[in-house]
Amino acid sequence: MPHSHYITKNTNTLIAYWDTDLVCRFANNAYITWFGRTPDELIGKVTLRELLGAGFTVSLPYITGALAGKVQMFERSLVMYTGVVRLMQAAYFPDIKDGIVQGFYVYEADLKAASTDVEQPNLISRRTPIDDVESVLKENLFNKFPGISTLAKRCFISESKLKRDFKERHHKSVKNYYRHLQMQLGETYLAENRFSKKQLANLFNFSNPNNFSLCYRKYLEEKSSYPLAKKNIDAA
């Protein structure tokens, strides 16, 4: 399947390819991160019914249409693995060879217009470069840290302003925030017994398991000390 003709690796758009048995054959970084899976867990193993759960019934008419060789364009709510709900602009493009449908490509863009319980009007117009930086980091949790220079160029912000504004929002550096996201996901995987620390070190591109263990220990220490720190601040 000529995925390279359809897929831009570094994009916020969720992109995947499903065959006629509804088994995932390709998913980009954004798609994998959205559903809280790893490439090994998703590709070639998970069906669309399993991935979407209760949402499969809503998508079924569009899936059927795509497998019938017709392009499908629609909006729908999609649940992220964290429980957050977003309104998505979705498109299913059938992959047809010699008149036979082989599967279909999925493209889904977050319209940023809805969440589970909070209305957020005009969210798109208020999106900032720091929002874009956060999105890029979340897309690349299973890759190497993109680097400040790359992030600044991609998100149209100077390196100095990126570092300053990011620290003002998150009270930590861009790299530390990126590691924090990885450790949050790693904590979930460990709790579910899906991976060992050694496997997570490889998954998150650490040079060796010891470095991952040190980073994870620091994350747990910061997490456990946060309630105490907040209590002291509130009491001040």
Side-chain angles (χ1 to χ4, degrees), residues 110-159:
D110 185 355
L111 295 179
K112 303 292 184 183
S115 65
T116 50
D117 54 8
V118 180
E119 185 177 358
Q120 297 174 310
N122 301 319
L123 187 56
I124 293 176
S125 64
R126 292 189 281 111
R127 189 170 179 83
T128 69
I130 299 303
D131 294 324
D132 293 332
V133 170
E134 292 170 1
S135 295
V136 174
L137 293 175
K138 290 172 183 177
E139 288 175 25
N140 286 276
L141 293 182
F142 301 116
N143 298 317
K144 291 183 178 180
F145 177 64
I148 296 298
S149 178
T150 298
L151 289 169
K153 290 176 182 176
R154 284 189 57 188
C155 300
F156 304 100
I157 185 173
S158 70
E159 293 184 26

Side-chain angles (χ1 to χ4, degrees), residues 144-197:
K144 291 183 178 180
F145 177 64
I148 296 298
S149 178
T150 298
L151 289 169
K153 290 176 182 176
R154 284 189 57 188
C155 300
F156 304 100
I157 185 173
S158 70
E159 293 184 26
S160 59
K161 183 171 175 58
L162 164 57
K163 290 187 284 189
R164 182 178 66 252
D165 290 359
F166 200 94
K167 192 151 191 177
E168 285 180 1
R169 177 181 292 191
H170 293 289
H171 307 292
K172 59 182 63 182
S173 70
V174 180
K175 180 68 175 287
N176 285 343
Y177 176 81
Y178 171 77
R179 287 302 191 201
H180 183 82
L181 292 177
Q182 288 183 318
M183 296 306 102
Q184 279 186 320
L185 187 56
E187 183 179 22
T188 299
Y189 286 158
L190 288 170
E192 296 173 352
N193 294 316
R194 291 165 70 176
F195 295 100
S196 66
K197 288 184 179 180

Side-chain angles (χ1 to χ4, degrees), residues 39-234:
D40 287 341
E41 289 178 317
L42 185 62
I43 298 170
K45 297 177 182 177
V46 173
T47 66
L48 196 51
R49 181 186 294 274
E50 293 169 335
L51 189 68
L52 296 180
F56 179 78
T57 302
V58 176
S59 299
L60 186 56
Y62 306 109
I63 295 169
T64 302
L67 292 177
K70 299 177 181 178
V71 174
Q72 306 292 305
M73 305 284 289
F74 59 99
E75 291 184 5
R76 68 161 177 175
S77 294
L78 189 64
V79 183
M80 196 175 185
Y81 80 98
T82 58
V84 172
V85 178
R86 297 293 190 193
L87 182 64
M88 309 294 283
Q89 175 65 57
Y92 292 176
F93 294 96
D95 177 27
I96 304 174
K97 292 184 177 65
D98 299 323
I100 300 175
V101 176
Q102 308 293 317
F104 60 96
Y105 295 91
V106 173
Y107 294 77
E108 300 207 43
D110 185 355
L111 295 179
K112 303 292 184 183
S115 65
T116 50
D117 54 8
V118 180
E119 185 177 358
Q120 297 174 310
N122 301 319
L123 187 56
I124 293 176
S125 64
R126 292 189 281 111
R127 189 170 179 83
T128 69
I130 299 303
D131 294 324
D132 293 332
V133 170
E134 292 170 1
S135 295
V136 174
L137 293 175
K138 290 172 183 177
E139 288 175 25
N140 286 276
L141 293 182
F142 301 116
N143 298 317
K144 291 183 178 180
F145 177 64
I148 296 298
S149 178
T150 298
L151 289 169
K153 290 176 182 176
R154 284 189 57 188
C155 300
F156 304 100
I157 185 173
S158 70
E159 293 184 26
S160 59
K161 183 171 175 58
L162 164 57
K163 290 187 284 189
R164 182 178 66 252
D165 290 359
F166 200 94
K167 192 151 191 177
E168 285 180 1
R169 177 181 292 191
H170 293 289
H171 307 292
K172 59 182 63 182
S173 70
V174 180
K175 180 68 175 287
N176 285 343
Y177 176 81
Y178 171 77
R179 287 302 191 201
H180 183 82
L181 292 177
Q182 288 183 318
M183 296 306 102
Q184 279 186 320
L185 187 56
E187 183 179 22
T188 299
Y189 286 158
L190 288 170
E192 296 173 352
N193 294 316
R194 291 165 70 176
F195 295 100
S196 66
K197 288 184 179 180
K198 184 176 181 179
Q199 290 171 322
L200 287 173
N202 182 62
L203 187 67
F204 291 136
N205 289 287
F206 279 80
S207 57
N208 61 67
N210 286 337
N211 287 344
F212 171 82
S213 294
L214 288 172
C215 188
Y216 186 65
R217 187 180 304 122
K218 182 178 179 181
Y219 161 77
L220 292 178
E221 289 172 352
E222 290 177 350
K223 181 180 176 182
S224 63
S225 65
Y226 175 74
L228 179 59
K230 186 177 186 300
K231 181 178 180 181
N232 291 337
I233 291 173
D234 292 340

